[in-house]
Amino acid sequence: VPKNTESNRDYDFISLAERELLIKTTGIEQRRVALPGMTTSDLCYAAADQLLNKLEWNREEIALLVFVSQSEDYYLPATAILLQNRLGLPKTCMAFDIGLGCSGFVYGLSVVAGMMKSSGIKRGLLLNGDTSSFVCSKEDKSSYPLFGDAGAATALELSDSAPAIYFNLNSDGSGHKAIFIPDGGSRNKYSEDSFKMKAVSDGIVRSDFHLALNGIAIFNFSLIEVPRIIENLLAESETDRKDVDYYVLHQANLLINDSIRKKLALPAGKFPLTLGKYGNTSSASIPLTIVSELGRELSERPLSLLCAGFGVGLSWAAVLIETKKVLTLPVVEI
């Protein structure tokens, strides 16, 4: 994560009373915000480099690198290929990007694990995250105070003795405008109008290059689909919900996550949170929460984790994994 911290108590675009209500409902007190010149790949590189050094892996043996993000370094080439070179991985390493946000960690894990299993790749690397602060208008109270920046690295090794991993992946493009940046792609290319600030409603001023968030639509979607996908995954894996040690949800906001938990009728202690410290960090939020809140426990004993990501796309996904003393490093600040 970036060293630079912003507090929502200092977000003086809105009144003090509004700030207090925002913190109470979202659970987000502060966020890490990348300074100009720092990219998602910088954050992912810092995490991956330290992880690979600690693992003492021979980097020549890493044959797959997948970068999951919506804030790539360039329009082209793929950022994963830049990271392959920067991390000193061999030219025989496959490297490609996946353009996903909130569900991206679970989707990325599925892609990397599936490719390793089917092709016999022994070691792979999943890098994911976003610098969402760059596409949020500071005059948009519906988005700017929610998003923090982060990048994560997960190293995977193929093992015949490893337990099965269960996935459930979903998408619904009919809801794509719920989290949306209208301009900047091939459909609506950049123009002078893209950067004109427009008053959408009270407290929401943004351009067509900024992220537009429909909070009510996201809340309704999350409350319907996330409990359903978790229930389906538990049934598919024949797992009792009480036997799962932790449910690590994408850190959307406190109201959404707590509503999901209550709908599943599970105790708060099974749902670790990092919203207060880091905010919504897109596809990095699940691994960031694991590292920050469960790192020591994860490295000391086996755990059953059910992780669920949901949001932009619309896209949602869940995974059930059984771990056994996983090497987990502290959160890295750069």
Side-chain angles (χ1 to χ4, degrees):
V1 299
K3 289 181 180 178
N4 183 47
T5 302
E6 287 191 12
S7 171
N8 278 342
R9 298 189 186 280
D10 300 328
Y11 183 52
D12 57 9
F13 178 70
I14 57 178
S15 69
L16 181 59
E18 285 181 294
R19 282 175 252 170
E20 293 297 335
L21 181 61
L22 170 80
I23 292 169
K24 181 179 179 180
T25 54
T26 66
I28 301 170
E29 294 189 38
Q30 62 183 31
R31 299 160 290 110
R32 300 303 181 95
V33 177
L35 295 174
M38 179 182 290
T39 69
T40 304
S41 72
D42 294 329
L43 298 168
C44 287
Y45 169 81
D49 190 51
Q50 291 206 28
L51 179 59
L52 293 176
N53 287 340
K54 188 69 175 181
L55 285 168
E56 297 183 343
W57 277 10
N58 179 353
R59 300 193 184 200
E60 290 292 320
E61 296 177 356
I62 298 173
L64 175 62
L65 187 158
V66 174
F67 177 72
V68 184
S69 180
Q70 294 173 137
S71 43
E72 303 89 347
D73 279 15
Y74 304 104
Y75 194 84
L76 58 86
T79 304
I81 297 175
L82 304 179
L83 284 163
Q84 167 270 327
N85 177 65
R86 190 174 178 185
L87 286 165
L89 306 186
K91 294 179 181 179
T92 51
C93 176
M94 286 186 287
F96 58 90
D97 293 356
I98 297 176
L100 282 171
C102 313
S103 66
F105 174 72
V106 179
Y107 262 87
L109 195 64
S110 173
V111 170
V112 174
M115 289 186 68
M116 292 176 68
K117 181 71 173 179
S118 63
S119 64
I121 291 172
K122 298 298 183 184
R123 287 176 172 174
L125 199 58
L126 170 63
L127 306 181
N128 56 278
D130 270 304
T131 43
S132 301
S133 64
F134 292 156
V135 293
C136 291
S137 166
K138 289 189 176 182
E139 298 177 68
D140 185 349
K141 66 180 183 181
S142 71
S143 65
Y144 186 78
L146 305 183
F147 290 94
D149 302 327
T154 307
L156 293 94
E157 191 166 24
L158 188 65
S159 171
D160 292 335
S161 62
I165 305 176
Y166 293 90
F167 290 98
N168 193 315
L169 313 174
N170 301 260
S171 60
D172 178 10
S174 70
H176 69 279
K177 288 189 177 180
I179 308 175
F180 191 48
I181 299 177
D183 286 9
S186 299
R187 177 71 61 190
N188 299 315
K189 296 182 179 180
Y190 289 129
S191 68
E192 288 186 10
D193 287 341
S194 299
F195 298 95
K196 289 181 179 177
M197 299 295 284
K198 305 166 188 175
V200 178
S201 62
D202 182 37
I204 300 179
V205 181
R206 61 176 178 247
S207 72
D208 287 338
F209 177 63
H210 286 127
L211 185 146
L213 183 69
N214 185 331
I216 295 175
I218 292 300
F219 178 84
N220 292 336
F221 146 74
S222 302
L223 202 56
I224 292 170
E225 298 296 353
V226 180
R228 180 184 296 165
I229 195 177
I230 290 174
E231 297 278 12
N232 290 345
L233 193 61
L234 290 171
E236 179 188 349
S237 62
E238 299 181 343
T239 302
D240 189 302
R241 69 182 66 194
K242 295 177 182 178
D243 291 336
V244 176
D245 292 304
Y246 294 105
Y247 293 80
V248 188
L249 302 184
H250 165 58
Q251 303 292 287
N253 71 53
L254 183 61
L255 181 61
I256 289 177
N257 287 32
D258 211 36
S259 298
I260 292 169
R261 177 189 66 80
K262 290 176 180 177
K263 198 166 183 180
L264 292 167
L266 288 165
K270 283 183 175 285
F271 288 74
L273 293 170
T274 50
L275 281 162
K277 295 182 287 187
Y278 301 111
N280 180 337
T281 56
S282 190
S283 68
S285 73
I286 291 174
L288 176 56
T289 301
I290 290 172
V291 168
S292 173
E293 306 305 304
L294 305 177
R296 177 176 295 180
E297 192 172 356
L298 196 67
S299 65
E300 292 177 349
R301 72 180 184 94
L303 289 177
S304 172
L305 303 179
L306 197 155
C307 306
F310 48 93
V312 61
L314 295 169
S315 176
W316 62 108
V319 58
L320 180 64
I321 52 178
E322 302 291 333
T323 71
K324 185 179 180 181
K325 295 186 177 181
V326 174
L327 173 66
T328 311
L329 303 186
V331 174
V332 178
E333 295 183 334
I334 65 170

